[in-house]
Amino acid sequence: MNAAHAILFASFAALPAAAAVQPNSLRLVRGATAIDLTWVDPTPPSGVFRALAAQSLRADVNKIADAATPAYADPIAGLPADLYFYQVGDASLCETNPDCDDGIACTDDVCTATGCTNLPFGLGTRAEIAGNPLLTYPWFEYVRAFNVDAPIAVALDPSRFSGVATKTCDVYVLAARGLAGWCADASLVDVRGVPDTRVFPASGMQASTFPLTAPGALSPAAGLALGAGYDVVLDCDRDGRLGPADFIDGLGDEAGLYVMPDLAATGPLPTSSFEIVGPLPPWPGPWTDEGDDLRVYYPQALDDPAFTGTFPLVVVSHGNGHRYSWYDFLGFHLASWGYIVLAHDNNTSPGIHTASLSTLRFTDKILLEQATLGGGVLDGHIDAAEITWIGHSRGGEGVARAYTRMRNEGWVPLAYSRADIALVSSIAPTDYWGFGQSNAYEVNYALLFGSADGDVSGCAIRDDRDSFDLYERAAGTKASAYVHGADHNDFNCCGFDDFTGPAGTAVGRPEAQQVQKAFYLALIKHFIDGDLPAKDFLWRQNESLRPIGVAATTIIDREYRDADGPAIFIVDDYESQPATTVSSSGAQVQSTVDNLVEDLMTDGNTTFTWSGSEPMNGMTRANTDQSPPDVEHAAVFDWSVVAPAAIDFEIAAVASDFTGYTYLSLRACQGTRHPATIAELADLTFDVVLRDSDGDSGRINIGAYGGGIEEPYQRTSCGTGAGWQNEFEVIRIRLTDFLHDNPGLNLQSIATIALEFGGAGTSIQGRLGLDDILLTKD
Amino acid sequence: MKLLYSLLALTSLTAVAIAAPPPLPATPAAPTEILYARRFSVTEPFRFAHVRDSAPTTAGTIVVLAFDPDLLYPRDTAEPVLFAGLALAQRANLGYPSGRLVAVIPGEVDLATTPVWLGTPALPESLDSATIAVERRLADAASIRPFPAASVAQALAQGGEPLEVGSFGDLSPWLEALVQEFAADERGESFTR
C-alpha cells in the first residue's frame, strides 16, 4: 500500500484562546507529492504539528514547521503508512514543559496547538448543572452566582446527556474542591448532611429540573473573596463517589456555583482611616496643580505592626465643586473588602488636564510617601501592581485623561507604570476632550451613570455631557451600569440635589450608593482579583440578579463587553461593512425590519425630539465636537404591528462552529420618544433564533431570563416629549440553552443567527438600536 | 416597568421635573458689587499654568465680588469663566450659595477702568489670549462696564495695605480668611440638601 493512501487527514480546532488561528479553519488536500494544508490565521507564523494520535502533540517532538503564511505543504515522501493527525496553532506555551505535566495524577496531560491541556479522567462528565428554572423556554438558566437569599435548582437535559436519562441519581452539593482536590478525594459528602435522590425522566428539561437548596441554606462566607464556591454532583451510580457514570458541575478551578453575600454590605475586615489636611484651604480651589488634602481608608489589620500582607490600591478623584472627603461610604466599603482607598484633592476647576494631573500625582504621592503618610501605617502594604482609578464627573474624565497622558503623551509616573493601572472607572464623567485626549484605550473600563443627572445630563445639546462617549471608545473589557432615578450627586455624600426627572422616580442617595457600592465591589473583585462570580453582577439582567441590598424596584441597565481578541467572534459590531446587507464578519445580512440604518452613535441634532428624519435620535455615545471624533456605530430599526420582521445574520462556513464559545451576546436599546417606543412603554422582547446548516433551529425569547430591553427613563426636556437617552443593555444567551429539549440543533454548524420581532410572546412593535452581536467565551 | 410609568403618569399627569439645578443665567454677566479689593505682590513670579499662553507676573489683586448665586452654582459641565479685562481671573471658592466669589486677578489692574465679568461657560484650560479677547468684545457689547471709581476705592480701603508675600501659595491664609468672612456657608463637609 502506498504510504499516502494510508494517511487519514485530520484537522483539529485550533482554539483561538491562545492562537489567532480561526477555529476549524484547517483544510487538508492530498496532492501528488504533499499534503497541502491551508487555514485562516490573521497573524502568522503558525506552528504546524503532526502526530500519530489525536491530542497527543508535544511541541518539542511533533512540530514540523513554523509557517510564515497560512499554508504549508507536508511532503508525502518518507512518511510511513499510518494514520496522521495535523494541527496548527501556537504551542509555545508547551515548550518549557513539553510533557505538560500538571502534577495531578488523574489528568491526561497533553500539548495541543493551544498549549497544554490537562483533561481529567475517571471523574465523571463535566456539565453545567446548577441554575434557575425559567417560566418559559429554555426552561432553565445555568448561572454561576446565586445570592444567599435565593433558592438554587439543578437540571440536566437527558436529550443532551443520555447517561442521566431514566436514572435515579443522588444530588450532592459539596464545598468546592478543585481538580486536584477531586483527584485526591472522590468521596461525596453533602454539606447539607444528606443528598437528594432524584429520578430523571427519559427526556424533558422541565421534568429534569429539581430544587437543590432553599434560600439561606448555603453559607456565602469566603473571606475576602466574593462568594463561597460549591460543586454539584449527580451520583448516578449511587456509590457515594465521583466516578465515570456521574456528572459534575465544578470539576476544575471554577466551582460549580457560588453563593454570594450582599455586595452592598460591609465586608469582613474592620477598617480605619486617616486624613492629611494640608495648608491650602479646605474647599475646592485651584491652588496648586493637585491640592494637598487626602483621606485614606484601609483594613485595620495594617495598624498591627506584625501584619505583613498587602492590599490593592484604589484611587478616588472627585468632581468639580466636590470634595475628597465625600466618599467615606465607598472608601470604608472597599477597605472592608481588602483594599486601600485614597481619596484626594482634585484640581477640577481649570478643567480636565489639571484634574488628570491630580490623579497621576496623588497616585505617586501615596506610593512614594507610604513610609510617612498616616504615620507609616501603609508602609509596605500597598499592592501597586493592580491599581484602580475611580473618578467622578470631571474627575471621571480626568482618570481617562490621565491614562491617555501615560499612554500617548509621555507622562512617566515615579512609583508606578501604565501597566499597573488595571481598571479605570468613571462616574457620570464629562467628555470635554474627546477621543484623542480622554481615552481609556485598552485598559479595563467601567462607567456608572444616573438617568436623573441634572449636571452631566446626557442631553444631546453638547457632546461634553455625554458620559457614554468614554464607554464606547474604551477598547478594553468594559462594563456599565445605568441607574434610573439617580442624580449626579447621589454618588457622593454631600453635593447639591440635582435630581432632574419625573416626580416619584428618584431612587435617593442611600439607594444609589447601595448600587454604587455593589457595582464597584463587583468590578474591582473581578478585574483586580479575578473573582469569577462577581462577573455575573456585571452582565446579567438586573431582573435576574441584583445585589441583595439593592431594592427590587430600582432599575439598572447593564452593559458588558469583552475586549476584541481571541475570546470573542464578532458577528456584527457595525464598525466595518457599512452596508446593511453585510455584517462585520463579511457574511450576508437579510432583514425585513423597517428603517434599518447603520450610523454613528450620535444624535443628529441637539434634542431628543422624534422628528422621523433623524435615525440616530437619542444616541449620545460619540463625541463629534472634538477632533479626532469618535467612530463607534450601531444599527437602528423598527417594526410595527402590521407584520413580524426579522434580521438574519448569515454565518460564514469557517465560523459556523459555535462550540468553542459559551455565549451569544448582543446589546440593544429602545429608541427614545419614537412612536413605537411610546406605544409599548415596556421592556421590549424578541426572539433569537439559531439555525444550523441542516435547517434545524432553536429559538429563545430574550425575556425568558427575566427582563427585556428597558424602556427609556421618562425624563422630559431636551426637546419635546418624554424619554431620555437611549439605554443599551447587554443580553447574553448561553449557546447550549438552544439545545434544551432540542438535540437536533447542531452548534458545530450554525448557518444563521436571526433576531425575530413581533412574533408570538414578543413585543408587537418597537424601535431598537442594536450593536455588538458577538460570540464570546466566558 | 410599564406599570411603574403608568402609575407615574396617573399621579403626575406630566413628567414634572423637580429639584433640578437652577438654569444658568445668561452671560456675560457683571458682578452686582465689589466688596473687597487688595493689591498684592509676590517675589516669585506666578502664572496660571492651565491658561495656555498666560504670562508670568509678580502682581495682582484679591477681590471679593457679589454675583447672582445661580451664576456660581457648582457644575461639572461648563461654568461661566471669570474675566478681568484681558486676563482670566482665578476663583478661590465656589461662591454658592452665598453669591460671594473670592478671586485673584493677575497683573497690575485698575479696577476703575477694567471690567470684571463672568463670561461664556467653558473650561478655563481651554482658553487662550485670543478667546479671552473675544470674551472681552462680548462683554463690551453687553455694556459691561468697570466698577465706579468710588466703589473700587471703597473696596480697596476695605482691603487695606498691599500684601507682599513670597509666592502665590503664600496668599492662601488671606484667601481662606476672606472665604470664611464672606462665604461661610462653604465651610464644613456638606453643601446640604
Side-chain angles (χ1 to χ4, degrees):
Chain A
M1 182 182 292
N2 185 302
H5 294 157
I7 294 172
L8 178 70
F9 307 135
S11 65
F12 298 120
L15 299 177
V21 175
Q22 184 71 49
N24 280 341
S25 66
L26 178 58
R27 298 289 178 265
L28 304 171
V29 176
R30 177 183 165 275
T33 60
I35 310 301
D36 296 317
L37 293 77
T38 59
W39 59 93
V40 177
D41 183 355
T43 58
S46 313
V48 183
F49 302 84
R50 182 192 336 108
L52 292 172
Q55 302 289 356
S56 65
L57 296 175
R58 283 181 46 161
D60 57 340
V61 172
N62 299 105
K63 193 174 198 176
I64 57 175
D66 277 318
T69 60
Y72 179 73
D74 191 23
I76 293 174
L79 279 178
D82 212 330
L83 185 67
Y84 290 96
F85 294 81
Y86 289 93
Q87 195 160 1
V88 295
D90 178 6
S92 59
L93 290 174
C94 309
E95 290 176 357
T96 58
N97 179 22
D99 292 328
C100 287
D101 185 1
D102 64 356
I104 300 174
C106 62
T107 57
D108 187 11
D109 307 325
V110 297
C111 181
T112 74
T114 58
C116 291
T117 63
N118 307 98
L119 303 173
F121 58 87
L123 289 177
T125 301
R126 281 173 155 168
E128 296 290 338
I129 298 174
N132 298 312
L134 302 174
L135 296 175
T136 60
Y137 187 84
W139 306 119
F140 199 85
E141 61 169 350
Y142 294 107
V143 297
R144 181 184 277 147
F146 300 83
N147 279 327
V148 64
D149 66 350
I152 302 172
V154 294
L156 198 63
D157 184 358
S159 68
R160 285 186 62 207
F161 298 95
S162 58
V164 79
T166 69
K167 290 281 180 61
T168 299
C169 304
D170 292 331
V171 183
Y172 286 83
V173 56
L174 316 94
R177 291 185 187 174
L179 181 56
W182 279 111
C183 193
D185 178 9
S187 65
L188 300 175
V189 181
D190 196 294
V191 296
R192 301 166 298 173
V194 293
D196 303 318
T197 298
R198 304 297 186 190
V199 179
F200 283 80
S203 64
M205 196 68 192
Q206 287 178 279
S208 303
T209 298
F210 305 99
L212 180 67
T213 61
L218 300 178
S219 170
L224 291 181
L226 271 187
Y230 297 87
D231 294 337
V232 178
V233 171
L234 305 185
D235 182 19
C236 293
D237 57 10
R238 308 188 69 189
D239 64 351
R241 296 182 59 79
L242 179 62
D246 303 331
F247 298 86
I248 178 169
D249 188 354
L251 185 63
D253 293 337
E254 181 180 344
L257 65 91
Y258 293 86
V259 177
M260 309 296 287
D262 179 6
L263 273 59
T266 301
L269 299 180
T271 58
S272 190
S273 71
F274 66 82
E275 182 167 18
I276 307 262
V277 179
L280 302 179
W283 45 81
W287 305 104
T288 69
D289 279 344
E290 66 269 12
D292 59 357
D293 299 339
L294 59 86
R295 275 186 191 175
V296 175
Y297 313 84
Y298 60 92
Q300 205 174 67
L302 272 58
D303 289 331
D304 179 358
F307 184 79
T308 58
T310 63
F311 298 105
L313 175 64
V314 178
V315 177
V316 180
S317 306
H318 67 72
N320 192 49
H322 305 172
R323 297 184 183 180
Y324 71 95
S325 53
W326 287 5
Y327 297 89
D328 282 359
F329 66 98
L330 185 60
F332 282 120
H333 181 64
L334 294 176
S336 76
W337 284 100
Y339 302 96
I340 294 171
V341 181
L342 163 69
H344 62 85
D345 264 351
N346 200 13
N347 192 16
T348 59
S349 181
I352 310 307
H353 303 325
T354 51
S356 68
L357 292 177
S358 297
T359 300
L360 289 161
R361 288 174 172 158
F362 267 99
T363 305
D364 258 339
K365 181 181 179 73
I366 194 172
L367 296 173
L368 293 170
E369 299 177 20
Q370 59 183 291
T372 55
L373 288 175
V377 68
L378 307 176
D379 194 19
H381 299 303
I382 304 175
D383 174 2
E386 298 284 346
I387 297 171
T388 298
W389 281 343
I390 300 172
H392 191 173
S393 204
R394 289 191 192 181
E397 184 179 357
V399 292
R401 176 87 189 93
Y403 190 83
T404 305
R405 280 183 183 273
M406 286 194 292
R407 186 183 187 276
N408 295 348
E409 300 170 25
W411 183 275
V412 180
L414 300 173
Y416 62 102
S417 70
R418 180 162 64 93
D420 297 324
I421 305 302
L423 172 63
V424 173
S425 179
S426 307
I427 303 166
T430 57
D431 185 29
Y432 288 101
W433 292 115
F435 178 93
Q437 298 189 69
S438 298
N439 195 330
Y441 286 100
E442 63 283 324
V443 73
N444 298 316
Y445 181 77
L447 174 67
L448 176 64
F449 190 84
S451 68
D453 194 313
D455 190 355
V456 187
S457 64
C459 173
I461 193 167
R462 287 171 62 108
D463 286 345
D464 60 18
R465 61 198 63 187
D466 291 347
S467 294
F468 279 87
D469 297 349
L470 280 86
Y471 179 83
E472 292 301 330
R473 74 175 64 112
T477 297
K478 55 191 176 182
S480 75
Y482 186 94
V483 187
H484 278 211
D487 68 49
H488 195 72
N489 286 318
D490 279 340
F491 298 122
N492 59 42
C493 77
C494 306
F496 292 109
D497 182 353
D498 64 287
F499 172 84
T500 310
T505 64
V507 296
R509 177 171 274 157
E511 175 67 2
Q513 292 182 358
Q514 290 289 93
V515 175
Q516 185 178 10
K517 287 188 291 185
F519 180 63
Y520 277 109
L521 185 61
L523 275 175
I524 296 171
K525 282 294 178 190
H526 179 64
F527 285 115
I528 303 301
D529 297 322
D531 193 289
L532 288 170
K535 184 177 178 180
D536 278 33
F537 288 86
L538 303 180
W539 69 264
R540 282 169 61 186
Q541 289 256 313
N542 194 53
E543 293 89 339
S544 169
L545 181 71
R546 61 181 167 78
I548 294 169
V550 171
T553 52
T554 298
I555 300 168
I556 305 171
D557 303 331
R558 295 182 178 132
E559 290 184 69
Y560 178 89
R561 191 194 192 284
D562 290 308
D564 287 354
I568 69 171
F569 173 73
I570 297 171
V571 177
D572 206 346
D573 64 0
Y574 302 103
E575 303 308 331
S576 60
Q577 305 286 4
T580 57
T581 54
V582 183
S583 68
S584 304
S585 52
Q588 293 297 303
V589 179
Q590 299 183 36
S591 72
T592 55
V593 297
D594 299 327
N595 305 310
L596 176 62
V597 171
E598 294 184 25
D599 208 343
L600 192 66
M601 283 195 282
T602 187
D603 192 290
N605 55 31
T606 58
T607 75
F608 292 149
T609 306
W610 176 253
S611 67
S613 59
E614 185 199 354
M616 305 310 280
N617 185 57
M619 295 290 188
T620 55
R621 290 172 175 251
N623 188 328
T624 56
D625 290 346
Q626 295 293 321
S627 180
D630 285 317
V631 295
E632 288 74 26
H633 292 68
V636 292
F637 58 90
D638 46 72
W639 70 100
S640 71
V641 296
V642 173
I647 303 178
D648 289 5
F649 298 90
E650 294 183 7
I651 305 299
V654 295
S656 63
D657 185 354
F658 283 16
T659 58
Y661 300 95
T662 307
Y663 293 101
L664 168 62
S665 177
L666 59 86
R667 63 174 181 156
C669 62
Q670 295 203 37
T672 195
R673 305 188 188 184
H674 186 278
T677 299
I678 295 168
E680 284 293 294
L681 203 61
D683 280 21
L684 278 193
T685 60
F686 53 88
D687 285 342
V688 179
V689 182
L690 298 188
R691 294 192 182 89
D692 67 21
S693 55
D694 293 331
D696 290 317
S697 65
R699 174 185 300 271
I700 291 176
N701 181 329
I702 65 163
Y705 301 97
I709 306 303
E710 194 71 35
E711 69 271 32
Y713 182 62
Q714 291 297 288
R715 179 174 169 180
T716 56
S717 77
C718 201
T720 58
W724 209 238
Q725 66 213 118
N726 296 346
E727 309 167 14
F728 275 96
E729 278 190 278
V730 71
I731 302 290
R732 286 164 41 119
I733 302 174
R734 188 180 289 272
L735 285 160
T736 52
D737 285 3
F738 290 94
L739 300 176
H740 293 182
D741 297 339
N742 188 26
L745 180 66
N746 182 4
L747 289 179
Q748 290 182 305
S749 183
I750 295 299
T752 306
I753 298 172
L755 309 182
E756 297 189 358
F757 308 94
T762 67
S763 303
I764 59 171
Q765 61 188 325
R767 168 79 173 180
L768 279 182
L770 177 68
D771 197 18
D772 289 337
I773 301 104
L774 315 170
L775 304 178
T776 179
K777 300 175 185 296
D778 192 23
Chain B
M1 291 298 158
K2 191 170 189 173
L3 177 60
L4 172 64
Y5 286 121
S6 298
L7 290 172
L8 286 170
L10 286 172
T11 55
S12 60
L13 295 179
T14 58
V16 178
I18 60 170
L24 191 61
T27 55
T32 56
E33 196 175 355
I34 181 166
L35 302 168
Y36 176 99
R38 187 173 191 181
R39 295 196 177 94
F40 68 87
S41 62
V42 295
T43 309
E44 180 184 321
F46 71 95
R47 61 184 288 269
F48 295 143
H50 56 267
V51 179
R52 280 185 270 170
D53 52 0
S54 66
T57 183
T58 57
T61 305
I62 299 171
V63 294
V64 179
L65 306 166
F67 281 100
D68 172 357
D70 288 353
L71 283 161
L72 303 175
Y73 181 90
R75 304 166 200 268
D76 280 85
T77 44
E79 298 173 319
V81 178
L82 183 64
F83 296 97
L86 289 173
L88 182 138
Q90 188 86 55
R91 294 185 188 207
N93 69 327
L94 297 177
Y96 190 88
S98 66
R100 301 293 188 264
L101 190 62
V102 180
V104 177
I105 298 170
E108 299 281 0
V109 173
D110 178 358
L111 292 171
T113 59
T114 304
V116 179
W117 75 98
L118 284 169
T120 305
L123 290 184
E125 69 185 11
S126 68
L127 303 176
D128 55 22
S129 56
T131 51
I132 292 172
V134 171
E135 290 294 326
R136 174 63 190 268
R137 286 196 292 275
L138 290 173
D140 290 344
S143 299
I144 290 176
R145 301 286 178 253
F147 294 110
S151 299
V152 174
Q154 187 175 4
L156 285 168
Q158 173 82 6
E161 291 297 309
L163 270 173
E164 295 181 8
V165 295
S167 69
F168 182 79
D170 293 338
L171 295 174
S172 296
W174 281 273
L175 295 168
E176 181 173 3
L178 289 170
V179 174
Q180 289 185 26
E181 179 180 351
F182 288 95
D185 51 9
E186 291 185 35
R187 295 190 57 76
E189 276 297 293
S190 174
F191 290 144
T192 72
R193 288 207 166 214

